[in-house]
Amino acid sequence: MRPAGRDDTDSLYFTYPRFAAPPPDAARQGHHQVIVAGAGPIGMTTALTLAGEGVPVLLLDRKDTFNDGSRAICIARSSFHILERIGALSPFLDKALGWTTGRSFFRGRQILEFHMPDSPDEKFRPMYNLQQQYIEDYLWQAVAAHPLIETRWQTEVIGVSDLSHGVALGLRDPGGDYTLTADWLLAADGARSPIRAMRGLRLAGENYEGRYVIADVQMDHDYPTIRRALFDPACRPGGTVLIHRQPDNIWRIDYQLQEGETAEAATQEATVRASVAAVLDEIGHKGPWDLEWWSVYSANTLALDDYRDGPVFFVGDSAHIVPIFGVRGLNNGLADAQNIGWKLGWVLTGRAGQALLDSYTPERRGATLDVFANATKSTRFMTPPTRGWQILRDAALSLALQREWAGQLANPRQMQPYSYADSPATLTDVHGGVSGPVPGTVLPSAALTGGGFLTDRLGRGFTLLCFGQAPGLTDTPDLATLALDPADHAATVLGATAGSAWLIRPDLHIAARWHEMPSAASVQAAMDHVTARQDIRT
């Protein structure tokens, strides 16, 4: 919502582009390998990942511009690695505000200051704040420049039906209705996914009672880029307020609605202005400010049972809805996009068997359930679902005024990459007790002795990372070898010794490891297993 007199895209700081409908000569019949529905952050990342694997993509969106409002604003370190892999990183680094610290307050007194893990071995900061308009803008720059991606704005999916091989999509644009066919459809069309409804699928899970208004204000405020959480503040008795700094002097303020306060009443402009003014008075801001945008949300943990329905894959919010606490929504969706993007890309270019696609749901739904487990703890603390939870939460906060350890209960437990240890696209670890990261986990970041970072030296496909004399493998676009000196600093970070080796997937997850240098045949067998080319032979 915008203040009176301004439309949905009349921003104080961002100029929304307007994208034309497809021209009259755009093909209104034909077949595509992959169609991606939804040109938000998840859809564009999916398209860029596929195109990076050499797969042409048709990207559709029913709107004529980006999503209105700042919406998702926190980008995790793991997502910056994804942005780097798809070639979209540079503008994000230039604009986003990195941060490591959060502070929590109870009735005006600080009870916690947490610091997310960070070190010189990390190429990126743990978290960055950037408005969703910029996220979409920067991804769009990469999409528009890619020769393998065709984008059709103002194009709505109005029907989906299965074919013997693939799907038929009914489409509508200002020029009329038409049909295209595709081998695969990737639905990245958001939490209210029309495609999910067309397939007769429903999200299942829990809805939480607590609702929040999110309001963006523009003001010159000198507080650093530190996440602030206010519990039971004078401005919102019994409630919770979150405050984040964003670029362009924009500040995100999330505040919990009080019992009996309806969303309709709370989102009236006069009410929002009065509520924001009370928060700003609470944090000591006396200067001018202007209201940019606001909305309302509730915390939910909802997901599909299966992220695949025949030739249709669901990606991001079309597959799951997670609470914002711990900034998991956007980041979880970006990991979905990378996961299905590289796998489908490898299948379509003949580098993997179709069984590789069977690992998408167990890996990414597993990640979602892990998010639910952690986010539920945060949600119950931030938004107590019952009077009993409220009493327990406030008792813990009161204790935190005298006991430092109790303040950790207010830690939001920021998102961490999920381990695919049980995935069919990961080899079972047979080296228990050996030091170093295990299969399924993300490769740790490490600074190299000679400069740069470990991830800078990885190949575009799989990489065999080894310490010492590498096996006799010929580098290909599918598999590169990175041999490092066992004395390199990276060996210390990974707990590596001479002969240690790891097979790294395109998404930086570890597929296999060896505590003694593997033979070329062993590495190839591992590759065959992970990419479903054939059963691994032992």
Side-chain angles (χ1 to χ4, degrees):
M1 303 177 191
R2 301 275 182 181
R6 290 163 51 195
D7 65 30
D8 288 344
T9 56
D10 186 4
S11 171
L12 296 173
Y13 66 94
F14 184 83
T15 301
Y16 285 83
R18 294 293 176 182
F19 301 113
D25 61 349
R28 301 178 75 81
Q29 59 182 354
H31 184 79
H32 297 261
Q33 275 192 307
V34 181
I35 294 178
V36 176
I42 308 308
M44 286 193 278
T45 299
T46 303
L48 285 165
T49 305
L50 278 160
E53 299 294 348
V55 176
V57 178
L58 175 62
L59 178 63
L60 311 174
D61 200 284
R62 59 186 172 183
K63 305 186 305 302
D64 68 349
T65 189
F66 305 139
N67 286 292
D68 68 299
S70 69
R71 299 177 183 247
I73 64 168
C74 293
I75 312 174
R77 170 185 285 143
S78 56
S79 295
F80 262 63
H81 283 288
I82 294 173
L83 296 172
E84 182 175 41
R85 299 287 280 186
I86 62 175
L89 178 64
S90 180
F92 285 89
L93 282 177
D94 291 341
K95 189 73 172 182
L97 303 178
W99 59 280
T100 62
T101 303
R103 293 173 182 163
S104 296
F105 300 82
F106 177 54
R107 295 175 181 168
R109 293 174 58 184
Q110 183 170 318
I111 59 169
L112 170 69
E113 178 169 305
F114 68 85
H115 301 273
M116 292 180 286
D118 199 23
S119 77
D121 282 308
E122 298 289 355
K123 185 172 185 178
F124 304 118
R125 303 288 63 76
M127 203 69 66
Y128 293 84
N129 283 357
L130 184 68
Q131 298 94 313
Q132 184 163 324
Q133 301 101 313
Y134 288 120
I135 295 171
E136 296 190 22
D137 187 18
Y138 299 157
L139 287 169
W140 169 244
Q141 292 175 27
V143 166
H146 207 294
L148 291 180
I149 303 176
E150 176 193 351
T151 307
R152 297 189 185 185
W153 296 93
Q154 300 187 48
T155 301
E156 181 182 4
V157 178
I158 59 173
V160 181
S161 58
D162 287 351
L163 303 173
S164 57
H165 298 286
V167 291
L169 271 69
L171 303 177
R172 175 174 294 161
D173 67 17
D177 297 354
Y178 61 101
T179 299
L180 294 177
T181 61
D183 293 328
W184 301 96
L185 171 62
L186 276 61
D189 53 344
R192 295 182 176 88
S193 170
I195 293 174
R196 187 179 65 225
M198 293 173 198
R199 304 294 288 187
L201 302 174
R202 295 177 61 87
L203 302 176
E206 292 187 65
N207 296 285
Y208 291 87
E209 291 298 323
R211 293 161 299 157
Y212 280 74
V213 167
I214 58 176
D216 285 356
V217 301
Q218 189 173 56
M219 62 182 179
D220 187 7
H221 183 59
D222 60 1
Y223 203 82
T225 309
I226 291 176
R227 173 197 182 272
R228 280 180 285 181
L230 315 180
F231 295 99
D232 196 15
C235 62
R236 306 291 298 180
T240 305
V241 177
L242 302 174
I243 305 169
H244 275 281
R245 182 177 196 157
Q246 304 175 73
D248 300 326
N249 281 337
I250 298 295
W251 294 78
R252 161 68 57 83
I253 299 172
D254 300 44
Y255 57 87
Q256 185 181 357
L257 300 191
Q258 296 171 331
E259 187 174 353
E261 192 175 11
T262 67
E264 292 74 18
T267 53
Q268 296 298 310
E269 181 177 344
T271 304
V272 173
R273 286 187 178 275
S275 299
V276 168
V279 173
L280 298 183
D281 183 66
E282 177 97 11
I283 64 175
H285 178 73
K286 305 300 182 184
W289 59 276
D290 203 351
L291 186 58
E292 157 70 4
W293 172 85
W294 69 91
S295 185
V296 65
Y297 69 85
S298 59
N300 301 304
T301 51
L302 303 170
L304 290 172
D305 291 333
D306 195 331
Y307 290 5
R308 178 180 179 180
D309 182 32
V312 182
F313 287 95
F314 294 89
V315 192
D317 285 352
S318 69
H320 50 71
I321 300 174
V322 305
I324 68 159
F325 310 120
V327 296
R328 296 170 170 92
L330 171 69
N331 297 293
N332 201 44
L334 292 175
D336 291 350
Q338 182 188 43
N339 191 289
I340 190 57
W342 81 261
K343 290 174 180 176
L344 185 56
W346 275 58
V347 169
L348 292 178
T349 54
R351 293 174 286 167
Q354 284 216 13
L356 175 61
L357 302 178
D358 296 338
S359 66
Y360 173 61
T361 288
E363 288 188 356
R364 294 311 308 156
R365 190 171 189 275
T368 300
L369 296 179
D370 183 66
V371 165
F372 287 177
N374 287 285
T376 297
K377 298 173 186 176
S378 296
T379 300
R380 285 174 174 163
F381 198 87
M382 302 293 292
T383 311
T386 65
R387 177 60 180 162
W389 277 104
Q390 180 86 41
I391 292 171
L392 287 172
R393 195 278 301 269
D394 289 350
L397 291 171
S398 296
L399 183 61
L401 294 173
Q402 286 83 36
R403 298 289 187 271
E404 183 176 342
W405 61 265
Q408 289 298 325
L409 295 170
N411 193 316
R413 302 176 181 86
Q414 304 294 338
M415 175 183 169
Q416 297 296 324
Y418 180 66
S419 172
Y420 302 149
D422 297 325
S423 168
T426 299
L427 265 69
T428 301
D429 188 25
V430 297
H431 302 297
V434 177
S435 63
V438 300
T441 60
V442 170
L443 178 71
S445 181
L448 299 175
T449 298
F453 293 88
L454 181 57
T455 53
D456 299 336
R457 302 278 301 278
L458 301 181
R460 287 285 306 167
F462 281 72
T463 301
L464 178 69
L465 168 65
C466 52
F467 291 85
Q469 184 65 41
L473 286 165
T474 301
D475 280 3
T476 68
D478 293 356
L479 176 62
T481 300
L482 173 58
L484 297 178
D485 191 314
D488 194 282
H489 174 71
T492 301
V493 175
L494 271 65
T497 58
S500 295
W502 286 264
L503 182 63
I504 313 303
R505 302 185 341 179
D507 57 7
L508 303 185
H509 282 260
I510 296 169
R513 70 168 177 170
W514 296 267
H515 72 281
E516 295 178 354
M517 193 65 69
S519 66
S522 293
V523 176
Q524 193 59 60
M527 278 284 295
D528 289 345
H529 174 85
V530 171
T531 59
R533 291 174 181 166
Q534 63 185 47
D535 290 337
I536 191 168
R537 293 181 174 84
T538 56

